Amino acid sequence: MYKVAVIGSGFSGISSACFLAKEGFDVTVFEKNDSPGGRARKLNVDGYTFDMGPSWYWMPDVFESFFKHFGKLPSDYYQLKIIDPSYRVFFSQHDVLDVPAGISRVCNVFEKLEPGSSLNLLKFMEEGKHKYEIGIQDLVYKPGLSVLELMNVKLLKGIWKLHVFQSMSTYIRKYFRHSKLIQLLEFPVLFLGGSPQNIPAFYSLMNYADMALGTWYPQGGMYQVIEGMVKLATSLGVKFKFNSAVQQIIVDDNQARGLRINNEVKNFHYVVAAADYHHVEQQLLPASHRKYDDAYWQKRSMAPSSLIFYLGVSRSLKNLLHHNLFFDQNFSLHSKEIYENPSWPTNPLFYVCCPSKSDSTLAPHGHENVFILIPVAPGLKDEEEIRKKYFDLTITRLETLTGQSIRDSITFNKSYAHSDFMNDYNAFKGNAYGLANTLLQTAHLKPSIVNKKVTNLFYTGQLTVPGPGVPPAIISGEVVARELIRQHQSRSAEFVPQLFL
Ligand SMILES: Cc1cc2nc3c(=O)[nH]c(=O)nc-3n(C[C@H](O)[C@H](O)[C@H](O)COP(=O)(O)OP(=O)(O)OC[C@H]3O[C@@H](n4cnc5c(N)ncnc54)[C@H](O)[C@@H]3O)c2cc1C
């Protein structure tokens, strides 16, 4: 059997491992941390279970499609329920908007704020659906090896309908005037790595994913998905090695011959690097075999990092739903402080997840599990004092906007920011969400999944195609596994990589 090493056990690494094991490869996943999941790990403490990263389960079709390849359903591993209302938006203490599940009910919300806008929303959603379908069918599963992949008649014929050359900001304003509706539709863009002014309107597909496909929740938390995927991988024969940081990729004659792990060298025919691309290139490969140099990385536009607080609260909190967005401050200033003038935000927007509202297993009886996330520019220094300043600022706003005292009931408080992303995941500039999805960093313009200088090394994860987010990371794992399998099958026996003894 041909041996494959996968570096990293995030969504992309586990996904690639499953596809490769199904094809008959002998796959071992090496993970530096003591548990799988990467940015989607969980934290168990004092009876609370925190999802450390993702909390929005969007695009359920992608998860279904992944499991279907192995004759399985998501429900074989975890139970999904729809979150309704999907989320609450706080514009001020007495101005709150609940976005319900189901597009017809979202139309009612739009109509109340801007009479006549529900018809526009339906048109907007129809266009978003078209982009979503084109994206899923013709774009996201492409390996990004050449511009020719985009030269598909269906894609080219319909390119004007994808609004690739128009910004989200302009596009949304063509349909809606009410500032709250505009803000609601612009918010998903914040996590794609650009301001609404420079993210292509193609990404209104995210609004379709949000408002038409719905916000789902795997009972027990997002980590159930990781556990399900690990269970599937193990059943396919994948081996997981934790506390196994890869220290070096040993290259000889343009081939990755082995990995140095805990000071021992292990040999493999192929290597799939599912750790952050920048780390793999700049720290694991010799300079002579890197595809990109430091200057290249410095010019990349990264998606945001985050300052997060995981809080255990010893009483029930009112006025919060499972997902809550705090839009009581200026969106464009915060966006500029992430992308144009990277700095700690003056008055940040923030997101609060209180999953114990949907799932009592995540906190002790009568307690709440609270996760506060402030999107911030990557590359900032996150000293203790800064974290404390933003903790005070967000808790004060949270207390005012929800009309209750919270601070005195906090029994557990852990913060997480840039330096933790770097220490835990070797994240470039402490990024949380990988590489930005700007037009110039899309498809074949992203860091490539292959490296001609090391022909049996492949890259996957949120810094390559198709981009950041759980569904794209799962897709990325599939894309890279298919490319590895394709190359393996097309090599004649004498060119298949040999084990270095
Ligand atoms: C706070 C936060 C909130 C998010 N919210 C959402 C959300 O709500 N919905 C959504 O869809 N997406 C969300 N995302 C994005 C999503 O979580 C990521 O895009 C996805 O999990 C990335 O998966 P990955 O496999 O590319 O990388 P990772 O999960 O980072 O996996 C890489 C793995 O490689 C390991 N590694 C690194 N270096 C080495 C080494 N030298 N040797 C061995 N192992 C190594 C790391 O420890 C890690 O386990 C969020 C991300 C964050 C951080």
Side-chain angles (χ1 to χ4, degrees), residues 16 70 150 211 285 301 383 480:
S16 65
F70 307 95
L150 307 178
M211 291 174 177
L285 276 180
S301 202
E383 287 116 347
V480 84

Side-chain angles (χ1 to χ4, degrees), residues 6-15 29-41 51-59 63 191 206 222 226 241 243-248 260-261 273-276 279-280 283-284 304-308 310 323 351 371 373 416 421-427 431-434 460-464 467-474 476-477:
V6 176
I7 308 174
S9 68
F11 276 108
S12 64
I14 309 174
S15 163
V29 179
F30 295 96
E31 167 57 54
K32 77 181 273 292
N33 294 319
D34 60 7
S35 60
R39 284 164 168 88
R41 283 182 307 156
D51 277 314
M52 294 188 72
S55 52
W56 298 81
Y57 188 106
W58 276 7
M59 304 166 70
F63 298 81
F191 296 98
M206 298 281 288
M222 286 294 281
I226 288 289
K241 305 282 179 200
N243 300 308
S244 299
V246 174
Q247 298 156 301
Q248 186 190 358
R260 187 178 304 281
I261 302 162
D276 274 28
H279 162 69
V280 174
Q283 282 157 31
L284 304 186
S305 184
S306 301
L307 171 56
I308 303 166
Y310 306 98
H323 296 292
Y351 158 61
F371 163 106
L373 182 147
Y416 200 92
F421 283 108
M422 289 193 257
N423 291 335
D424 287 351
Y425 312 120
N426 290 315
N431 81 79
Y433 298 90
T460 181
Q462 63 173 0
L463 275 83
T464 180
V470 172
I474 293 174
S476 183

